[in-house]
Amino acid sequence: MNLTYVIEKFLYEHDGNNRYVFGTFGDRPLICLGLNPSDANPKYSDSTFRNVSKIAFLYSYDSVIMLNIFLSLLTTGISEIDSKILDKNLKTIEKVISAFEKKNNKVDILCAWGSGVKRKNFSEYFKKLWEILDKYNIKYFKIAGDEKHPRKPNRIKIEKVLTEFVLQTYLNDNFYLGNKN
């Protein structure tokens, strides 16, 4: 059973084991696409959500929406996840992005999954994710730095830290999507 509800200003969708969406309501959100969620919820905020909220404020966004590539509420490692759950997550990502693109004609996404994506072969999942994202008018960002993978925001100094990010090039270079830039 999925639970989607609003507590004060929070959007929170989960099914007990997996968190699909966590964020605040606003007209111009910064959408953060992370690796996997922690146990943050409307009553308990973690360092990732707090830091993304601070970054959003610095760049004049009025809200933050956290989405994740994987859903398990784990703070260490990634477990094998049922393909039905992954498919539902992709549908949730598309639903959120579609809604805000219709409202604002574009979407800004902070890519922030760190190096954990290389622990397993996620190429097929990233292909499916790219097929969804490529349909929309999205501007991608990452936290500034020379890391190969977009940095996670949980342990950073908060300042003007965003740089544009070419997601398709990253995915082609790291997950061999076979797409031309």
Side-chain angles (χ1 to χ4, degrees):
M1 175 173 119
N2 285 343
L3 302 173
T4 303
Y5 58 93
V6 177
I7 296 178
E8 295 176 14
K9 61 179 182 170
F10 288 96
L11 173 64
Y12 185 50
E13 182 177 349
H14 70 98
D15 64 10
N17 296 317
N18 303 296
R19 187 181 76 200
Y20 297 91
V21 179
F22 175 54
T24 55
F25 284 102
D27 293 322
R28 187 173 176 262
L30 176 61
I31 297 174
C32 181
L33 185 57
L35 180 62
N36 62 307
S38 67
D39 58 356
N41 61 58
K43 294 180 182 179
Y44 166 76
S45 179
D46 65 359
S47 61
T48 299
F49 186 77
R50 286 190 303 271
N51 284 350
V52 172
S53 296
K54 290 173 187 176
I55 291 167
F57 177 77
L58 286 173
Y59 286 88
S60 301
Y61 295 96
D62 67 355
S63 52
V64 171
I65 296 175
M66 303 294 295
L67 299 170
N68 289 283
I69 296 169
F70 300 101
L71 302 167
S72 294
L73 296 173
L74 304 172
T75 55
T76 58
I78 300 171
S79 62
E80 292 296 323
I81 300 170
D82 185 310
S83 63
K84 290 178 186 176
I85 293 171
L86 291 176
D87 289 342
K88 179 174 182 199
N89 188 50
L90 289 171
K91 289 176 185 171
T92 300
I93 289 170
E94 183 164 26
K95 178 175 67 173
V96 169
I97 290 170
S98 175
F100 283 100
E101 188 201 44
K102 285 177 186 171
K103 186 175 188 175
N104 299 324
N105 296 317
K106 71 177 187 87
V107 175
D108 291 349
I109 293 182
L110 171 60
C111 298
W113 49 78
S115 62
V117 295
K118 292 306 276 187
R119 291 185 200 151
K120 296 189 184 276
N121 182 3
F122 297 140
S123 294
E124 288 303 313
Y125 187 74
F126 271 107
K127 285 179 185 177
K128 290 178 183 179
L129 179 62
W130 178 250
E131 288 172 5
I132 291 168
L133 299 176
D134 193 38
K135 297 184 225 174
Y136 298 96
N137 182 18
I138 299 173
K139 189 170 187 178
Y140 298 97
F141 297 93
K142 69 175 188 166
I143 295 168
D146 59 2
E147 296 84 2
K148 181 177 180 178
H149 303 284
R151 287 181 68 184
K152 293 173 118 183
N154 57 336
R155 293 185 184 106
I156 61 166
K157 182 178 177 185
I158 302 302
E159 53 190 33
K160 292 276 186 173
V161 296
L162 297 186
T163 60
E164 287 193 38
F165 181 58
V166 183
L167 181 60
Q168 185 176 6
T169 299
Y170 168 82
L171 293 175
N172 283 335
D173 290 349
N174 290 281
F175 300 99
Y176 318 107
L177 299 185
N179 296 329
K180 301 281 184 197
N181 292 332

